[in-house]
Amino acid sequence: AQSVTQLGSHVSVSEGALVLLRCNYSSSVPPYLFWYVQYPNQGLQLLLKYTTGATLVKGINGFEAEFKKSETSFHLTKPSAHMSDAAEYFCAVSDSGGYQKVTFGTGTKLQVIP
Amino acid sequence: GAVVSQHPSRVICKSGTSVKIECRSLDFQATTMFWYRQFPKQSLMLMATSNEGSKATYEQGVEKDKFLINHASLTLSTLTVTSAHPEDSSFYICSAIHSAGSSYNEQFFGPGTRLTVL
């Protein structure tokens, strides 16, 4: 069984400040980890993913995440928040069998304050 | 590439009627598609796995007679909400697994369908 915990359902940052969205996972096998972004009334867009190899993963729009096995974490960061980053962010995990059956976290709504 | 579309994007229907939602992979083939349901301010909950040419696999607690899924081709899956009731109002999102090429086994999401049952 696998699960994802996102700490903080709402996060507010000032424009230009660091964005940190937390994600911890539980998986009985080596995980595939994902971050998705969802804008209002839209589907999900993949920001980045970790499969194997380098633990620091860079994604679109300046986001990156680091896989830390010892901490079972996959936190999402961005050095400088932009107003357009305001959205809902979902962390997700899949088993090593592939990208197929994905379990999503409860989501974190990011608010960017001008 | 790797675009998934859903139709309609929004639908409003009367209680007791049936609604069909289409999910299409526009530029790739997908032997597997997933249907998710998202309640306001909540995460996506997997409803069922749709496999081309075979019966869908439903998650625990999802009524298969209520949510009919048909995956008739490698680019189309449909979700029919039968005898819809207000509690079925939700945002329904599909995803498709890329079957080949550089995006093999990668999951791509549709834009979602907002269903409102009056």
Side-chain angles (χ1 to χ4, degrees):
Chain A
Q2 53 202 19
S3 65
V4 173
T5 302
Q6 289 184 243
L7 295 175
S9 58
H10 287 80
V11 170
S12 293
V13 300
S14 298
E15 189 175 16
L18 172 71
V19 176
L20 171 61
L21 304 183
R22 300 179 185 274
C23 172
N24 288 89
Y25 70 90
S26 172
S27 178
S28 58
V29 297
Y32 283 31
L33 295 161
F34 309 84
W35 274 100
Y36 288 90
V37 61
Q38 185 181 33
Y39 296 98
N41 295 311
Q42 294 187 28
L44 273 67
Q45 180 182 7
L46 181 66
L47 276 179
L48 49 79
K49 63 190 177 192
Y50 167 79
T51 55
T52 58
T55 56
L56 182 61
V57 180
K58 295 185 184 298
I60 62 172
N61 301 338
F63 284 94
E64 62 183 37
E66 185 171 11
F67 169 61
K68 292 186 176 180
K69 184 178 179 180
S70 61
E71 298 177 8
T72 60
S73 68
F74 191 58
H75 301 329
L76 181 71
T77 60
K78 181 174 180 178
S80 177
H82 192 274
M83 295 299 295
S84 61
D85 294 327
E88 186 103 29
Y89 292 81
F90 292 95
C91 183
V93 63
S94 179
D95 66 29
S96 59
Y99 301 75
Q100 303 208 6
K101 194 166 182 177
V102 175
T103 301
F104 288 89
T106 51
T108 298
K109 189 167 186 177
L110 176 65
Q111 180 184 19
V112 182
I113 303 167
Chain B
V3 177
V4 176
S5 70
Q6 284 184 239
H7 178 78
S9 57
R10 290 177 177 268
V11 57
I12 301 173
C13 68
K14 293 182 179 180
S15 184
T17 61
S18 294
V19 174
K20 180 185 285 188
I21 303 170
E22 293 185 348
C23 176
R24 293 182 184 272
S25 55
L26 297 185
D27 49 2
F28 66 99
Q29 294 184 333
T31 53
T32 302
M33 292 184 175
F34 296 101
W35 285 97
Y36 295 87
R37 183 174 181 176
Q38 185 180 31
F39 291 102
K41 301 182 180 179
Q42 294 188 30
S43 187
L44 282 74
M45 300 299 295
L46 180 64
M47 297 175 65
T49 303
S50 171
N51 295 299
E52 186 267 338
S54 63
K55 290 183 178 180
T57 305
Y58 291 83
E59 295 299 302
Q60 190 173 9
V62 177
E63 299 176 60
K64 60 181 180 181
D65 295 330
K66 172 79 172 174
F67 299 99
L68 300 179
I69 292 173
N70 185 288
H71 195 155
S73 76
L74 287 171
T75 59
L76 174 64
S77 175
T78 60
L79 168 67
T80 301
V81 183
T82 62
S83 187
H85 290 283
E87 58 265 30
D88 298 324
S89 299
S90 191
F91 194 51
Y92 292 87
I93 300 176
C94 74
S95 70
I97 302 294
H98 205 299
S99 298
S102 60
S103 298
Y104 174 70
N105 229 20
E106 190 165 342
Q107 183 168 181
F108 296 92
F109 287 83
T113 296
R114 173 75 60 192
L115 170 63
T116 303
V117 184
L118 303 176

